[in-house]
Amino acid sequence: MILGVPKEIKNHEYRVGMVPASVRELTQRGHRVIVETQAGIGIGCSDQDYLDAGAEIAVDAATVFANAEMIVKVKEPQAIERKMLRPEQILFTYLHLAPDAPQTEDLVNSGAVCIAYETVTDNNGGLPLLAPMSEVAGRMSIQAGAQALEKSNQGRGMLLGGVPGVEPAKVVIVGGGMVGRNAALMAVGMGADVTILDRNVNVLRALNAQFENRAKVIYSTAEALEKHIIEADLVIGGVLIPGAAAPKLITREHVRQMKPGAAIVDVAIDQGGCAETSKATTHQDPVYLVDEVVHYCVANMPGAVPRTSTFALNNATLPYIIALAEKGYRQALLDDQHLLNGLNVIAGQVTCKEVAEALNYPFVTAQAALA
C-alpha cells in the first residue's frame, strides 16, 4: 500500500501522523510511505530522518494526497485538505465529527473511507487511540489552568498550590476518566485543593483508591455540580461520550455565579465543549472572558508538546496502521470489531450512530456499509 503523511496545517499544530520509526516498520514490510517535506520538523525529525527510514519526500501536500491510498494524520483534515480526498482513499486520524457539520459534509461528499482514532475501542471498553492524547491533555490542563489564573491573563492572581499560610486554589474536575485522572494527578502534585466529580461509582472507587485523602471524590448530581463549580477557582472540563457531542454540564448560570477571575479549561472542546459558554480557541489566542471568568478552550492542546504527543500517539496507532496497510481497509475492518468501531464515514454514508444523530444524517451500520 502507498501511505501518505502530510504536514499538519491547523493553527500551531506541530505533531505528525507518523514518526520515522513507524515509517520504517511499514517500509520494511514492502509498503511505500510518502511524507511531505518538513512534516516532522515540529517533533525534531528532519526529512533525512524519514529518508533513512525508507520514506519518499514529497514537495507538497497535494502530491501526498494525489499518490497515497491511505492518509495518516493527527488532526481533522482542514477544508483545503478535504478537497483533496477521493473515493476509496483511507483517512486515518482524529475527526471529532459530531460538533463539526462542515467537515462531516465534506467527508460524506468525498467518498473516502474515514476512520476516526477517537472511536476505535478495545477489549476493556476503552478508547486506546484517544487515551494517550487524553493523558497529555489532562496533564496540560493544569498547566494551562495555572496560567489562566495569573493576573496577566485576567485571572484571580492565584498560585495553584498556595504557599505556607495561604490557601491553595480550589480545582474542580468534571469527569473522572482519562483526562480527569491525569488532571488530578498534576493538580494534587502541585498542592491544589482538588475535587473530582463523576457519575460512575466504579470510577469514583478507583479514584478514591488512587488519591486517598489527597483529592475529594464526589458523585456528580446537579446540586453537587452547581455547588463545586461556583466555589472553584479552576474548573477542568473532561467529559466524553464517545463519538458524540459533549454534554453541556457547565451552564451559563454556573459561569455567571463563579468568582471573578476564576478559570475554566474545557478539554472537551474537540467534541463541542462541556460548558455552554465554550467556543474553540487556538494556541495563538487561547483565552477569552465570559462574565469575568477566563475560558481556555484550545482544540488541539497536545499540539503544544508535539514530540511527547506524537510518539505517544504512534505507539498506539502503529498496529492499526500496519493492519490497514497489510490487509486493506475492508478485511482489516471486518477482522477487528474494535477498528470497525472507528469507521465514521464510508462511500458517502455515516456509520457512527452518535454523529448521525447529532447532525441528522441517515445512520448505516458499518457492516452494512462495507457489504
Side-chain angles (χ1 to χ4, degrees):
M1 182 178 283
I2 305 172
L3 297 89
V5 183
K7 186 175 182 179
E8 297 291 329
I9 59 173
K10 190 164 185 170
N11 180 273
H12 284 274
E13 181 53 72
Y14 303 107
R15 290 173 290 179
V16 62
M18 293 176 66
V19 299
S22 296
V23 169
R24 185 176 178 182
E25 292 290 326
L26 273 299
T27 57
Q28 286 186 339
R29 287 172 164 80
H31 304 288
R32 287 177 61 196
V33 182
I34 304 172
V35 179
E36 184 180 353
T37 184
Q38 301 294 295
I41 200 71
I43 64 165
C45 293
S46 67
D47 286 354
Q48 190 60 52
D49 293 327
Y50 283 99
L51 288 169
D52 292 345
E56 304 165 32
I57 301 298
V59 295
D60 54 27
T63 303
V64 175
F65 278 83
N67 288 279
E69 298 167 85
M70 175 163 67
I71 298 293
V72 181
K73 282 178 45 57
V74 178
K75 287 308 293 177
E76 72 279 0
Q78 305 300 291
I80 192 172
E81 295 174 311
R82 300 196 293 265
K83 292 177 182 176
M84 294 188 279
L85 292 168
R86 63 178 185 272
E88 293 277 309
Q89 191 172 40
I90 305 165
L91 173 65
F92 194 34
T93 188
Y94 288 115
L95 292 175
H96 301 291
L97 293 179
D100 192 344
Q103 184 196 176
T104 305
E105 182 180 3
D106 287 349
L107 295 186
V108 166
N109 291 337
S110 74
V113 179
C114 305
I115 305 170
Y117 292 162
E118 73 272 10
T119 59
V120 173
T121 56
D122 63 20
N123 288 326
N124 300 316
L127 303 170
L129 305 190
L130 187 62
M133 295 305 94
S134 295
E135 290 173 331
V136 172
R139 295 180 182 218
M140 282 190 67
S141 70
I142 299 303
Q143 292 181 200
Q147 289 184 321
L149 283 175
E150 293 175 7
K151 202 64 179 177
S152 59
N153 291 312
Q154 303 181 77
R156 298 199 74 211
M158 297 184 72
L159 187 65
L160 273 188
V163 292
V166 180
E167 286 187 352
K170 291 181 169 60
V171 177
V172 173
I173 300 168
V174 182
M178 191 67 71
V179 167
R181 187 160 66 251
N182 279 274
L185 190 67
M186 299 303 286
V188 165
M190 294 175 75
D193 178 354
V194 180
T195 300
I196 312 167
L197 295 145
D198 200 278
R199 293 181 70 90
N200 186 317
V201 174
N202 291 328
V203 167
L204 296 176
R205 289 194 180 107
L207 290 168
N208 187 64
Q210 179 178 356
F211 293 107
E212 297 177 329
N213 61 349
R214 295 173 297 155
K216 295 181 282 291
V217 178
I218 306 294
Y219 186 82
S220 183
T221 62
E223 182 177 348
L225 270 174
E226 180 178 68
K227 175 183 184 295
H228 290 286
I229 288 170
I230 291 170
E231 292 176 352
D233 299 303
L234 172 62
V235 176
I236 306 296
V239 181
L240 173 73
I241 300 174
K248 304 296 185 185
L249 299 181
I250 304 167
T251 67
R252 290 182 181 275
E253 183 61 20
H254 290 155
V255 173
R256 190 187 66 77
Q257 295 182 71
M258 288 175 71
K259 305 168 187 174
I264 295 172
V265 176
D266 197 341
V267 185
I269 195 64
D270 277 318
Q271 293 292 139
C274 62
E276 288 185 340
T277 47
S278 289
K279 61 181 181 181
T281 61
T282 66
H283 288 289
Q284 187 173 340
D285 189 15
V287 299
Y288 62 92
L289 288 181
V290 175
D291 291 330
E292 298 185 83
V293 174
V294 182
H295 288 58
Y296 179 100
C297 304
V298 174
N300 58 328
M301 287 178 64
V305 287
R307 187 171 176 87
T308 298
S309 298
T310 298
F311 279 88
L313 180 60
N314 264 220
N315 292 341
T317 58
L318 182 58
Y320 299 96
I321 295 170
I322 291 172
L324 288 163
E326 297 275 87
K327 300 178 180 181
Y329 76 83
R330 287 185 182 276
Q331 197 59 49
L333 291 170
L334 290 171
D335 285 352
D336 186 346
Q337 178 62 47
H338 296 300
L339 182 59
L340 186 64
N341 290 337
L343 185 65
N344 278 213
V345 177
I346 180 173
Q349 301 172 96
V350 176
T351 56
C352 176
K353 186 176 182 181
E354 291 80 7
V355 173
E357 290 177 349
L359 298 175
N360 296 314
Y361 279 90
F363 168 63
V364 180
T365 66
Q367 292 88 342
L370 285 171

